[in-house]
Each structure stands twice: as structure tokens, then as C-alpha cells.
């Protein structure tokens, strides 16, 4: 899978299967995207690379590292200290974002009342750590069944 930021200066490549897709409804994501939620595809860090361009850290600084294009400031991906081997790529940056609808809604406690997604699972905050294994396995099965 390939992708790029809005201006095209940052290009990314994902060479590993997506682990799971999400829509995050937290107020922080709403404000960073100027939308109702942020969309992401969680991938193994070993299967992700920035192949062109420079990113800069934006958003809140701390254990979340939100990387943006240094030129157009598009939010391209995030890394988290708690999950150093994973990368959360912003779905709209992919060349084919239509192929990755959200499987999980997170932070639905902050979801705008009029939002509807096709996600199969919803969590008031983030899924508990022990839920990720079964969610990733179920997502893999749904992707294997896709045409």
C-alpha cells in the first residue's frame, strides 16, 4: 500500500497487512482533523516506511508522536511509546482509503451524537489491552473473506 500527504511531499509505503482499522472519536482527534473523528490503519512498524519527504512532530507532545508533513502539515501517522512496534497510519493518506473502513470505534464517550460508522465494535475509551489480540484476529478473518 502506498500513500502520501495532501501536497505529495511525504510519501509512505506499507508492506505488511493491516492489523486493524479504527475511527477515534476523542476531542483531540476531532480538533487535529477538524472533523468528527480520525481514521487510522494500525500496521507493524517493520512494514512501514516514509519513502520520501520530511515529517515533523505535531499535536500533543508526550507518549504520542503524531507525525505531520513538514510542508503542508497533513497528519500522516502516529507512533506511541506504549506500542513501539506499531504505527497508526491515517487512512485518508493511503492511495485507496476506501478499502479500509473502520472496524473499531474508539472513544465513543466523546463521539458526536450524529456520527455513524460501519465499525463492528465500539469502546467508550480505547479497547483494553487484552482485547487487541482477538480484535486483530477477527479483522484478519474479515479481510480474508473480502473480495
Amino acid at each position: 500500500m502506498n500513500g502520501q500527504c495532501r501536497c505529495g511531499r511525504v510519501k509512505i509505503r506499507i508492506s505488511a497487512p493491516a492489523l486493524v482499522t479504527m475511527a477515534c472519536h476523542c476531542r483531540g482527534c476531532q480538533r487535529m482533523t477538524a472533523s468528527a473523528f480520525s481514521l487510522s490503519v494500525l500496521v507493524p512498524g517493520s512494514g512501514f516506511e516514509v519513502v520520501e519527504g520530511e515529517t515533523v512532530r505535531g499535536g500533543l507532545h508526550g507518549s504520542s508522536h503524531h507525525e505531520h508533513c513538514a510542508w503542508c502539515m497533513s497528519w500522516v501517522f502516529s507512533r506511541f511509546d506504549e506500542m513501539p512496534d506499531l504505527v497508526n497510519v491515517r487512512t485518508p493518506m493511503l492511495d485507496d482509503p476506501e478499502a479500509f473502513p473502520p472496524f473499531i470505534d474508539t472513544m465513543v464517550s466523546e463521539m458526536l451524537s450524529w456520527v455513524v460508522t460501519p465499525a463492528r465494535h465500539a469502546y467508550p475509551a480505547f479497547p483494553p489491552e487484552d482485547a487487541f489480540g482477538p480484535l486483530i484476529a477477527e479483522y484478519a478473518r474479515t479481510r480474508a473473506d473480502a473480495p
Side-chain angles (χ1 to χ4, degrees), residues 7-24:
C7 74
R9 290 184 184 201
V10 171
K11 294 187 177 9
I12 58 173
R13 181 172 301 126
I14 298 171
S15 58
L19 298 173
V20 72
T21 57
M22 297 171 276
C24 182

Side-chain angles (χ1 to χ4, degrees), residues 53-126:
E54 298 291 324
T55 63
V56 295
R57 190 159 298 157
L60 293 176
H61 299 269
S63 67
S64 300
H65 309 284
H66 304 298
E67 298 294 325
H68 300 255
C69 169
W71 180 256
C72 71
M73 301 309 286
S74 295
W75 183 16
V76 182
F77 64 94
S78 300
R79 294 182 189 266
F80 305 95
D81 288 347
E82 304 83 12
M83 303 181 300
D85 298 330
L86 301 173
V87 178
N88 214 18
V89 179
R90 309 275 54 98
T91 306
M93 300 302 134
L94 299 175
D95 290 347
D96 184 15
E98 186 72 29
F100 299 96
F103 186 73
I104 303 169
D105 278 326
T106 65
M107 296 301 296
V108 297
S109 62
E110 298 179 20
M111 178 186 244
L112 299 175
S113 63
W114 45 264
V115 169
V116 177
T117 78
R120 292 184 181 201
H121 301 277
Y123 292 88
F126 292 102

